[in-house]
Amino acid sequence: MARALLIVDVQNDFCRGGALATDRGDDVAAEISAYLLTHHAAYDVVVTTQDWHIDPGTHFSENPDFTNSWPVHCVANSSGAAFHPDLDMDYVDAMFRKGEYEAAYSGFEGLLAPEDSVMTGEHEPGHMPEDTLKVSLDDWLQEQDVTDVDVVGIATDYCVRATALDAADAGYETRVLVDLTSAVADETAETAVAELEDAGVQVIESTSVGR
């Protein structure tokens, strides 16, 4: 049995000053880093997902409804798409990008980024080369013999929710460490938590995780 920590979309555009800032985005970035410092030994692998939009169609809108359409955000190679500077990447084993030409809320829609990508976003990483092997998150986790996943990140009610539901549907024992997530809105976060629990996902506090 191997356990993975999936860090979902802790990017500048979802934090203070970003195009789609969530209330706790900055706090969650720092809190995940602190959690990793004390709990990294509890995980066999650590993975990040990254919104990486080029032309996602109706996902972007000048008149967004903030449910199915959104302001422009996390454009590939932009500072908004970069990981938040308070997110410690030292323990990260792989990064998966999603949503180049579609909405792609779930990390399981992402593909493994090239190894030479700059994870911190301090420089401009290029697009994935045409001949890059297209490895999905599910395939990669199976290669690592992962059976259990913990999900953290942004946003509780959208990409964290979608990633955790897909993980459970794929057969992983799935937990969401809810205090290490940041929501778009309290009401939709409550609905998401209920949906996750109905799907068999454990929604717990990070303090419940043994070191």
Side-chain angles (χ1 to χ4, degrees):
M1 183 186 78
R3 182 178 294 277
L5 180 67
L6 308 186
I7 304 172
V8 176
D9 299 0
V10 182
Q11 297 168 254
N12 289 330
D13 266 346
F14 299 136
C15 299
R16 187 179 302 116
L20 277 176
T22 59
D23 286 346
R24 296 192 63 248
D26 295 66
D27 294 337
V28 161
E31 288 165 7
I32 291 172
S33 295
Y35 175 79
L36 271 173
L37 188 63
T38 56
H39 287 78
H40 64 272
Y43 298 97
D44 299 276
V45 291
V46 177
V47 170
T48 59
T49 71
Q50 187 178 25
D51 250 10
W52 196 253
H53 295 309
I54 296 174
D55 182 9
T58 57
H59 187 58
F60 284 174
S61 174
E62 293 182 0
N63 299 293
D65 61 16
F66 294 93
T67 301
N68 297 305
S69 60
W70 307 88
V72 174
H73 62 277
C74 295
V75 172
N77 298 313
S78 70
S79 60
F83 293 110
H84 191 281
D86 287 346
L87 180 64
D88 185 354
M89 304 294 288
D90 287 348
Y91 298 106
V92 173
D93 297 292
M95 174 175 64
F96 290 80
R97 289 176 176 160
K98 58 188 176 67
E100 288 188 358
Y101 299 102
E102 58 189 351
Y105 292 97
S106 171
F108 283 84
E109 298 175 79
L111 295 175
L112 183 66
E115 289 184 7
D116 60 354
S117 296
V118 180
M119 289 191 178
T120 61
E122 292 174 0
H123 306 285
E124 289 192 354
H127 297 311
M128 190 177 294
E130 291 286 335
D131 59 352
T132 298
L133 183 63
K134 292 178 170 58
V135 179
S136 72
L137 175 57
D138 188 31
D139 287 343
W140 191 88
L141 291 174
Q142 289 188 47
E143 289 173 4
Q144 315 306 314
D145 296 321
V146 169
T147 56
D148 297 61
V149 299
D150 289 350
V151 186
V152 300
I154 307 172
T156 320
D157 32 359
Y158 290 92
C159 293
V160 168
R161 166 193 164 276
T163 299
L165 288 173
D166 278 356
D169 188 58
Y172 298 96
E173 290 294 326
T174 306
R175 304 187 299 192
V176 170
L177 311 186
V178 70
D179 58 315
L180 299 182
T181 71
S182 180
V184 171
D186 290 342
E187 182 178 348
T188 47
E190 290 175 6
T191 300
V193 167
E195 185 178 0
L196 289 166
E197 291 176 336
D198 285 345
V201 175
Q202 292 185 61
V203 180
I204 63 173
E205 300 284 328
S206 63
T207 51
S208 300
V209 179
R211 297 186 182 180

